[in-house]
Amino acid sequence: MLTRILFNQYKTLRRIVFPPKCLVCSRFFHPPDSNAGDEARNAGGPTDPAPLSLQSQAAGLLSVCLCQACIRRLVVVESPICDCCGLPINGRQGADHRCGECIREPKDYRIARAPLIYEPILTRVIHCFKYQGKVQLAKPLAELLLTAFRLFWEPDSIDIILPVPLHIKRFRIRGFNQAYLLVCNWNILAAHFAYRPVQLQIERNLLIRTAATVPQSALGRAERTVNIKNAFDLNRPDKVKDKRILLIDDVYTTGATVNECARLLLNCGARHVDVLTLARAV
Ligand SMILES: [Zn+2]
Ligand SMILES: [Zn+2]
C-alpha cells in the first residue's frame, strides 16, 4: 500500500519536473491524471449501459502523448456516412446512404469503417507511429481501434481478423507492421476492459504481400488500383473458406489496397470481408 502511494507520488512529481512533449506541436504539456480515459474506455461494457463515445475515448487515450489543444483538433467520423465505404457525407442531414463512387464502382468488401478523419493532426500522429518508431502510440491507437470495432461490429460477427501485410522488404526496413501492432493485443485489452469474453482470431501470417509495390501514397487514385493488383496472396487459402473476415489497416485513402485484399479473399471462398482502419481520408 505504502509502495503504491509512494509510486503514485513519484509519477506525479516526475510529470511536474519532466512534462512530456506533444508529439504534434512539440510543446511541453501536463497530461491529465493517468486514469484519464478509463471512464470512456469502460463505457458500453456489459455492466455499463452508457454508449461508447469515440470523441471522449480518443481524447482520453491520446492525452498521454498529445496536448489538449491538438486533441481538440482531432475529428471523429460521424453520420451521415456512405453505408459501404464509410465516407462522411458533408453538409447533409439524414441517414447513411450509398455514395456516388460506391454506386459507380461497387466494392468487393462489404463495409469499411474508421473512427477518425485523416486530418493534419492525425496524419502527424500516424507518421510518428509508422516512420519515427514511436511504438508507444501502438497501445492507445489499438484501444481506440478496438472501441471502433465494438461500436460497429458484434464481436461474434467476425471469424478472422487480418492485418494488411507489408512486403517483407519494407517490413525489414520498418521493423514492424503497423496494422498488426494496432490489433495484436486486442484480446488482452478486451479482457481488461470487461468486453464480452470472445476470443478474436487474429492471423498475422495468413495474408501475405508478394509484390514489393511502389508506396500507394506516391500515386493517384487510378494508379493505386493498378499498382496493388495481384500484390497479395494467402498462405492457407482453405482457412478463409466461408469465413467472415475483418481487415485492419492504419489509413483508408482510396480503398484500393483493402479492396484488392477483399477481392483475393472472396476468390478464395470468404463469406464476406469488412474493413476497419484508424483513419479515413476525405
Ligand atoms: Zn500539441
Ligand atoms: Zn462509398
Side-chain angles (χ1 to χ4, degrees), residues 22-27 29 65-71 121:
C22 174
L23 284 181
V24 173
C25 67
S26 298
R27 284 197 202 105
F29 70 101
C65 43
L66 299 192
C67 73
Q68 288 299 310
C70 288
I71 282 178
I121 299 287

Side-chain angles (χ1 to χ4, degrees), residues 142-143 145-146 149 155 158-165 177-191 195 198-207 234 239-240 243-249 276:
E143 276 191 48
L145 205 59
L146 179 62
F149 176 68
I158 294 292
D159 299 310
I160 303 178
I161 296 180
L162 298 177
V164 171
N177 173 5
Q178 72 280 357
Y180 178 67
L181 288 191
L182 289 174
V183 79
C184 63
N185 286 327
W186 270 20
N187 280 318
I188 298 166
L189 290 171
Y195 187 34
V198 171
Q199 274 294 311
L200 299 159
Q201 188 185 340
I202 301 158
E203 292 278 354
R204 183 184 197 169
N205 299 314
L206 184 54
L207 181 62
L234 286 168
K239 273 192 153 185
V240 303
K243 297 289 194 246
R244 300 161 301 172
I245 312 272
L246 179 68
L247 286 168
I248 300 287
D249 208 355
L276 174 61

Side-chain angles (χ1 to χ4, degrees), residues 9 23 37 48 50 63 76 84 88-89 93 97 102 107 120 123 132 138 162 175 184 190 196 205 216 218-219 221 248:
Q9 284 180 344
L23 284 181
D48 186 345
S63 64
V76 167
C84 175
I89 295 163
Q93 302 290 319
H97 56 274
C102 289
K107 306 294 186 206
T123 305
Q132 295 178 0
L162 298 177
C184 63
R196 229 187 294 172
N205 299 314
Q216 292 284 82
L219 303 171
R221 177 174 285 270
I248 300 287

Side-chain angles (χ1 to χ4, degrees), residues 82-87 97-102 107 109 280:
C82 169
D83 57 11
C84 175
C85 73
L87 177 76
H97 56 274
R98 200 59 48 104
C99 76
E101 194 204 305
C102 289
K107 306 294 186 206
Y109 63 74
R280 179 64 160 86

